[in-house]
Amino acid sequence: MQLEAKDVGFRYGNGPWLFRGVNVTVEPGEIVGLTGPSGCGKTSFCKVLAGYEKPVEGSITVNHSLLPKNVYHPVQLVFQHPEKAINPRWKMIKTLREGGPLDQELLESLGIEREWLTRWPNELSGGELQRFCVARALGKGTRFLIADEMTTMLDAITQAQIWHVVLEMAKKRGMGVLIVSHEAKLIQRLCHRVIEFHPANA
Ligand SMILES: Nc1ncnc2c1ncn2[C@@H]1O[C@H](COP(=O)(O)OP(=O)(O)OP(=O)(O)O)[C@@H](O)[C@H]1O
């Protein structure tokens, strides 16, 4: 099962092209880095990959098929800011269940405490919330994880804990991972290969 972006171009409405002709593949179990200057469209590309936005040109396929609608999306995205990715009116357990049945082992490995499940999002720190977003994204149906500056706001120990869990899962399940980060050292340490994202010349 391969994730493939083929000749993908994207712009918001009638605005300028952010990128065109982008070709990226991620194989099962592969860890790929994506870097590029600020504002060149990396986050927008991640949204296209994960189905939040439709490509204006080209296609995104998983296993050579277009991505399904109204089913669990096999490409899951974790953003930099967890508070933008969760419903403030839902208790944490409900947010977590969006990813499927709870996986106690996964919650423990991410350091999520039982007592946090019944809290509201505004009763948790940013780092605690991000652990929930990672846990939700690692539901059983996830085949590819897109990590967009996923651990940028976390301390070094929490970063290491989260990446350990993600990389173990990538190995165990054959989950492909795309890591978007400005941290060259992180990318070098974790990725099998790195793609430089160039601004559109359109
Ligand atoms: N919903 C939107 N509507 C219109 N323009 C947008 C929208 N979201 C982002 N943009 C614009 O698209 C451009 C690319 O933004 P994007 O967040 O994809 O870049 P990025 O490479 O991820 O940046 P950074 O590295 O700073 O996070 C920016 O100029 C931004 O202002």
Side-chain angles (χ1 to χ4, degrees):
M1 195 181 262
Q2 181 194 57
L3 171 63
E4 182 176 23
K6 203 169 179 191
D7 291 326
V8 170
F10 183 76
R11 60 179 175 181
Y12 290 100
N14 291 324
W17 288 97
L18 291 183
F19 48 85
R20 293 185 91 174
V22 172
N23 291 289
V24 170
T25 56
V26 184
E27 303 290 338
E30 195 182 24
I31 317 293
V32 180
L34 187 80
T35 61
S38 209
C40 72
K42 300 180 300 298
T43 294
S44 304
F45 180 61
C46 291
K47 287 182 181 171
V48 172
L49 280 177
Y52 286 73
E53 299 283 355
K54 269 174 82 168
V56 178
E57 293 177 341
S59 62
I60 307 294
T61 55
V62 171
N63 212 13
H64 308 292
S65 302
L66 292 174
L67 294 164
K69 279 185 194 144
N70 304 324
V71 293
Y72 186 86
H73 205 290
V75 185
Q76 289 288 314
L77 170 58
V78 180
F79 295 98
Q80 178 174 359
H81 299 290
E83 57 287 349
K84 289 188 191 169
I86 54 172
N87 189 329
R89 294 169 196 224
W90 288 1
K91 288 203 169 170
M92 294 317 299
I93 189 158
K94 188 167 174 185
T95 289
L96 210 46
R97 284 199 178 121
E98 284 187 300
L102 301 194
D103 175 344
Q104 279 311 330
E105 203 182 321
L106 175 65
L107 299 188
E108 270 170 44
S109 62
L110 286 170
I112 294 176
E113 294 180 16
R114 221 162 223 293
E115 183 250 323
W116 297 350
L117 298 185
T118 50
R119 290 202 201 168
W120 300 102
N122 67 1
E123 295 169 341
L124 290 168
S125 75
E128 290 162 356
L129 281 181
Q130 189 66 322
R131 293 167 199 248
F132 278 93
C133 289
V134 175
R136 176 179 60 177
L138 294 176
K140 292 246 179 315
T142 302
R143 295 290 167 264
F144 295 92
L145 180 75
I146 315 293
D148 185 7
E149 300 286 359
M150 181 172 83
T151 55
T152 303
M153 46 98 77
L154 304 172
D155 64 77
I157 292 172
T158 312
Q159 283 200 8
Q161 183 185 28
I162 289 181
W163 284 118
H164 177 73
V165 172
V166 168
L167 296 186
E168 279 295 302
M169 194 165 277
K171 223 186 281 174
K172 207 165 74 184
R173 279 196 202 165
M175 179 180 76
V177 184
L178 185 74
I179 301 178
V180 179
S181 177
H182 290 292
E183 292 175 68
K185 275 195 185 144
L186 180 91
I187 294 260
Q188 257 172 22
R189 191 156 45 85
L190 301 183
C191 298
H192 300 140
R193 63 185 168 94
V194 184
I195 298 165
E196 182 71 26
F197 201 77
H198 294 287
N201 46 5

